[in-house]
Amino acid sequence: MIPLDLVLGASRDDGTGGAQRLAKGARAEPNRFFRFSSSFANTEGAALADITTRNGNVPPSAVANRTATLLSKLARPSVFYVRLLNPGHTKFELVESFFRNVVDPVVDQMGMTRIEIGTDKSDYAFINVGIFESLHFSSLAIVDVTGERPNCFIELGYALGNSNRVLVTAEEGTHLPFDQEMIPCHFWKPGDSAPESRKALIEFWEKNISRPPIVKAA
């Protein structure tokens, strides 16, 4: 979301401030509204200052040009990975191979970028905060439940309750507990070639990515 500080009021006419309030919040915490690509990281606040309308006194063409510049710096939509990360687990190597050789290339092909806690660079002091905040604000969660790890099920539940777009995957033969059996799941086969596995994942992605959330926001 890129809010402009225009005096428009709130859509519900409830006196909460509308665009001006959102613009003020964005200037205070830009990363809760949008993210820049790594080459422009930490310049979000300055970019927001550039698009201020100063109560409508800045020429519209100037605001439009600066907004276009801001939009050109946006990071690609993020995909949060929920997966087995314990290298001591018997299924780790299979899961690692699936994500590196299949999921990563497909995510890149779809014009998105990954967030994998424990693998990628993190700015969070505590890993649990990083997990849930990154998951909360991601455009999509890919949740692999191979190994049936409790933390993966917790994060799956959070993503579903938060109305994230979610794609569930698992190694063929994985037991899906409780109500998860009702959620579409892509079962991948370790013996398939990488091109075959990517093709199968893309087909599942395209078929299921537009499903409505289980819980719709009020």
Side-chain angles (χ1 to χ4, degrees):
M1 179 186 295
I2 312 296
L4 296 173
D5 61 340
L6 296 171
V7 187
L8 301 176
S11 60
R12 298 180 181 179
D13 198 25
D14 57 5
T16 57
Q20 283 185 309
R21 179 180 64 83
L22 290 171
K24 182 178 180 180
R27 287 194 297 271
E29 296 183 275
N31 290 333
R32 297 184 72 86
F33 287 75
F34 63 90
R35 293 184 305 111
F36 277 170
S37 59
S38 57
S39 55
F40 300 105
N42 302 316
T43 66
E44 292 88 350
L48 283 170
D50 274 347
I51 65 170
T52 182
T53 68
R54 304 190 191 285
N55 294 321
N57 292 318
V58 177
S61 59
V63 176
N65 290 335
R66 293 166 187 169
T67 301
T69 298
L70 185 154
L71 293 174
S72 71
K73 299 177 181 179
L74 291 176
R76 295 192 296 176
S78 61
V79 180
F80 187 85
Y81 290 1
V82 176
R83 49 155 293 194
L84 172 66
L85 288 169
N86 179 5
H89 195 283
T90 56
K91 296 290 185 180
F92 175 79
E93 293 297 335
L94 289 176
V95 173
E96 177 70 6
S97 176
F98 175 65
F99 273 83
R100 297 292 81 86
N101 298 319
V102 179
V103 181
D104 281 350
V106 169
V107 165
D108 185 66
Q109 181 177 331
M110 293 299 183
M112 307 181 82
T113 186
R114 80 179 192 198
I115 299 176
E116 186 174 84
I117 299 295
T119 301
D120 299 330
K121 179 180 178 293
S122 177
D123 296 323
Y124 295 94
F126 299 100
I127 190 169
N128 286 348
V129 174
I131 288 171
F132 286 102
E133 185 162 324
S134 299
L135 176 57
H136 185 91
F137 290 106
S138 290
S139 300
L140 169 68
I142 294 181
V143 182
D144 189 273
V145 296
T146 305
E148 302 166 42
R149 306 291 286 175
N151 60 304
C152 292
F153 292 126
I154 290 171
E155 290 162 32
L156 170 61
Y158 184 89
L160 294 171
N162 189 49
S163 298
N164 285 74
R165 289 188 296 172
V166 178
L167 295 178
V168 180
T169 65
E171 180 194 12
E172 187 176 49
T174 299
H175 171 67
L176 302 181
F178 312 116
D179 292 340
Q180 195 195 330
E181 291 182 350
M182 301 297 105
I183 300 170
C185 181
H186 171 64
F187 288 101
W188 47 272
K189 302 176 183 178
D192 285 351
S193 68
E196 288 177 315
S197 296
R198 291 173 200 151
K199 182 175 182 291
L201 179 58
I202 289 171
E203 290 174 353
F204 178 80
W205 183 310
E206 292 177 340
K207 182 179 180 180
N208 293 281
I209 194 63
S210 297
R211 286 179 178 271
I214 292 177
V215 180
K216 292 185 178 181

